[in-house]
C-alpha cells in the first residue's frame, strides 16, 4: 500500500526519510520493514507517563467517576439543578485531558453534594483525606495539561519536546522515575539516535 501510494506521486521508498506516528508495535514493525527510523509521537509518550502517574490515585478517581455517573440520573440531575447549572462530567479513556476536567467539575460541585443523602451515592462521596488528595492531583494535572497543549502546537519541534520533557522530569521527578517514556533513550523510543540527531540539527549543534 505504501509503495502504491508513493508511486502515485512519482516517488518510492528511497524518498522516505522517516516514519512518523504513535509508538505502537504496528508502526515499529512498519519502520523495520521499510528500514527507516521511526519518529515517535511525543504526546503519546507523555500521556502514557501521565496515565501511569494517575494509576497511583486510581481508587479515588474511579470513585469520582462513579459519583459523576450517579449524578447524571434523572432524579439526581433534577435535584442538582436546584443549586447550579453545572453538569456532572465523567472520564473517557479516549480523551487524555478528561480526567482533569472531571476532577475540576467535582471540585465545583462538591459544596452542593453535601445536600445529597441518597443511599446509592453515599459510598462514592470522597472523604476529607481523599478530597485533599484530589486537590493535589488537580494542581498537578493543571501543569501537565499545559504541557499536552504545548506538544500539540504546530510550532513545537523535537528540540522543544526535549526541553518540555526535561522540565517536567525536573518538576515532577516521580512522574517518570524509571524513565520509561520521557527519557530520550527510553525503551519506547524506537530510533533514539535519529531523534537525538534531529534535536541537534534543530539546535544548530549537529557538528558537536
Amino acid at each position: 500500500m505504501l509503495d502504491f501510494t508513493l508511486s502515485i506521486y512519482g516517488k518510492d521508498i528511497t524518498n522516505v526519510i522517516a516514519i512518523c506516528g504513535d509508538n505502537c508495535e504496528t508502526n515499529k514493525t512498519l519502520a523495520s520493514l521499510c528500514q527507516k527510523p521511526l519518529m515517535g509521537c511525543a504526546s503519546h509518550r507523555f500521556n502514557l507517563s501521565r496515565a501511569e502517574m494517575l494509576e497511583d490515585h486510581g481508587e479515588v478517581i474511579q470513585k469520582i467517576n462513579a459519583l459523576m455517573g450517579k449524578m447524571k440520573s434523572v432524579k439526581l440531575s433534577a435535584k442538582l439543578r436546584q443549586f447550579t447549572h453545572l453538569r456532572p462530567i465523567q472520564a473517557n479513556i479516549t480523551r487524555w485531558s478528561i480526567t482533569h476536567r472531571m476532577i475540576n467539575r467535582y471540585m465545583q460541585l462538591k459544596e452542593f453534594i453535601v445536600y445529597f443523602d441518597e443511599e446509592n451515592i453515599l459510598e462514592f462521596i470522597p472523604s476529607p483525606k481523599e478530597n485533599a488528595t484530589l486537590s493535589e492531583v488537580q494542581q498537578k494535572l493543571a501543569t501537565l495539561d499545559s504541557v499536552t497543549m504545548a506538544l500539540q502546537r504546530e510550532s513545537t519541534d523535537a528540540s522543544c519536546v526535549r526541553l518540555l520533557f526535561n522540565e517536567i522530569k525536573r518538576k515532577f521527578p516521580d512522574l517518570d522515575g524509571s524513565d520509561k517514556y520521557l527519557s530520550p533513550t527510553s525503551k519506547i523510543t524506537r530510533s533514539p539516535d535519529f531523534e537525538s540527531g534531529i534535536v541537534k540539527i534543530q539546535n544548530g549543534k549537529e557538528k558537536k
Side-chain angles (χ1 to χ4, degrees):
M1 185 193 72
L2 186 57
D3 286 336
F4 171 74
T5 304
L6 287 169
S7 69
I8 295 175
Y9 301 96
K11 308 291 184 182
D12 58 39
I13 197 64
T14 60
N15 298 112
V16 177
I17 297 173
I19 306 294
C20 298
D22 285 355
N23 307 279
C24 63
E25 293 305 316
T26 300
N27 288 337
K28 291 179 181 179
T29 300
L30 177 62
S32 296
L33 290 172
C34 296
Q35 297 183 335
K36 302 293 180 180
L38 173 66
M39 195 71 181
C41 176
S43 291
H44 182 215
R45 289 168 57 186
F46 178 72
N47 284 287
L48 285 173
S49 182
R50 183 172 69 167
E52 192 165 279
M53 180 273 289
L54 289 176
E55 288 179 2
D56 295 336
H57 311 288
E59 187 173 338
V60 67
I61 290 174
Q62 288 178 11
K63 179 183 282 191
I64 291 297
N65 195 39
L67 177 63
M68 293 293 102
K70 297 287 185 181
M71 299 291 287
K72 285 184 174 182
S73 70
V74 175
K75 178 182 177 181
L76 296 183
S77 184
K79 186 174 181 179
L80 186 62
R81 286 193 183 91
Q82 299 175 19
F83 304 100
T84 176
H85 68 282
L86 298 173
R87 300 292 91 207
I89 295 176
Q90 278 188 287
N92 183 331
I93 60 174
T94 62
R95 299 180 62 186
W96 290 327
S97 62
I98 194 65
T99 299
H100 184 208
R101 289 185 57 208
M102 180 182 70
I103 294 176
N104 284 344
R105 181 54 50 88
Y106 164 71
M107 291 300 186
Q108 293 172 312
L109 299 178
K110 185 172 63 172
E111 63 179 298
F112 309 117
I113 291 175
V114 297
Y115 299 109
F116 288 71
D117 55 2
E118 285 76 7
E119 291 186 5
N120 64 328
I121 70 166
L122 290 178
E123 64 180 294
F124 300 109
I125 297 177
S127 66
K129 183 178 180 180
E130 288 173 328
N131 278 326
T133 298
L134 285 168
S135 182
E136 294 176 4
V137 173
Q138 182 186 32
Q139 294 177 24
K140 184 178 289 188
L141 285 177
T143 300
L144 298 182
D145 277 355
S146 68
V147 174
T148 297
M149 296 301 295
L151 290 172
Q152 294 173 358
R153 295 190 192 117
E154 289 189 16
S155 59
T156 300
D157 58 20
S159 65
C160 292
V161 169
R162 183 66 57 84
L163 288 174
L164 285 168
F165 281 4
N166 288 342
E167 178 61 19
I168 208 68
K169 286 169 62 181
R170 183 194 65 79
K171 193 164 187 177
F172 301 109
D174 60 327
L175 182 66
D176 197 36
S178 59
D179 281 340
K180 291 175 62 177
Y181 305 112
L182 304 185
S183 170
T185 57
S186 60
K187 289 184 178 180
I188 197 173
T189 306
R190 177 67 173 77
S191 309
D193 292 339
F194 178 79
E195 291 195 20
S196 293
I198 294 295
V199 171
K200 281 189 174 183
I201 292 172
Q202 290 174 346
N203 287 330
K205 298 179 179 180
E206 62 268 31
K207 295 183 179 179
K208 296 182 180 180

